[in-house]
Amino acid sequence: MVVTVIGGSGSGKSKFAENTAVSVNTGTLIYIAAMMVFDDEGRARIARHRALRDGKGFKTIEKYTSLKTIEGVDGCTVLLECMSNLLANEMFDESGAGENAVEEITEGINLLVRRAENTVVVTNDIFCDGEAYDEQTMKYIENLGKINRYLASVSDEVYEVVCGIPIKLKGEEHD
């Protein structure tokens, strides 16, 4: 099963995604963390997410770029958080794929879909403010849109989380 969870900042998407991964899991739970830490705010965010996952049985793998090279996901339930961080890393970090970020990430998604028993991906809704940004930021927004559309196309279920409420956009009910 492949599930995509999208929402705005602070929407509750992480909690929903974690609970979804736990509910469909039949073996090992893997949490792929894509957020690079640059400051105290980042450390606090990671601490909050670790506290949310505490006691749920996740093994954490930090993977900031090159998702297609990840090991240890065969037959597991994988939660990838968060696509917006992974894309930023691929586009802007010196170790990333740069102009080939979308292709690099979709190859990584394909690997997870093929090898993991279940894949849950968290991504952000950053498309609703109606603002025009500099060229580099607009390219990032465009690329995240491409990746989110691709995720939706390969997902069995897609949810948008708004104010902590998951709204199913695609898929049948699961147990």
Side-chain angles (χ1 to χ4, degrees):
M1 171 181 283
V2 181
V3 179
T4 296
V5 180
I6 187 168
S9 178
S11 65
K13 64 188 175 292
S14 295
K15 181 178 180 181
F16 177 75
E18 289 165 14
N19 290 339
T20 298
V22 169
S23 74
V24 300
N25 183 49
T26 59
T28 303
L29 280 167
I30 303 289
Y31 180 93
I32 302 173
M35 183 178 167
M36 291 180 170
V37 180
F38 298 105
D39 57 18
D40 288 339
E41 180 182 345
R43 280 185 279 286
R45 179 178 223 103
I46 288 172
R48 185 177 70 79
H49 281 257
R50 285 185 180 150
L52 281 171
R53 291 193 312 273
D54 190 39
K56 293 181 181 176
F58 283 97
K59 173 188 171 194
T60 300
I61 299 173
E62 295 179 8
K63 192 70 173 159
Y64 308 122
T65 59
S66 302
L67 182 61
K68 69 183 182 186
T69 64
I70 197 161
E71 297 291 330
V73 298
D74 293 311
C76 297
T77 294
V78 173
L79 171 57
L80 170 60
E81 182 151 8
C82 171
M83 186 53 64
S84 58
N85 287 318
L86 183 62
L87 176 60
N89 300 341
E90 288 290 3
M91 286 182 67
F92 305 123
D93 191 74
E94 63 186 31
S95 66
E99 292 293 320
N100 300 315
V102 172
E103 294 79 14
E104 180 75 21
I105 289 171
T106 55
E107 286 180 35
I109 292 166
N110 288 334
L111 176 137
L112 291 178
V113 169
R114 282 191 322 271
R115 294 178 42 198
E117 181 176 345
N118 301 294
T119 302
V120 180
V121 180
V122 176
T123 190
N124 280 296
D125 180 359
I126 60 169
F127 313 101
C128 299
D129 66 4
E131 295 291 323
Y133 296 98
D134 64 83
E135 184 178 340
Q136 189 175 40
T137 302
M138 292 305 292
K139 184 65 175 174
Y140 171 82
I141 291 170
E142 176 186 331
N143 284 347
L144 187 59
K146 288 177 184 177
I147 292 166
N148 286 351
R149 287 191 305 273
Y150 182 74
L151 279 167
S153 76
V154 300
S155 290
D156 301 298
E157 297 179 356
V158 177
Y159 293 88
E160 179 180 17
V161 180
V162 180
C163 300
I165 302 168
I167 302 163
K168 184 177 267 188
L169 302 175
K170 178 183 177 182
E172 300 295 321
E173 292 296 321
H174 69 271
D175 298 327

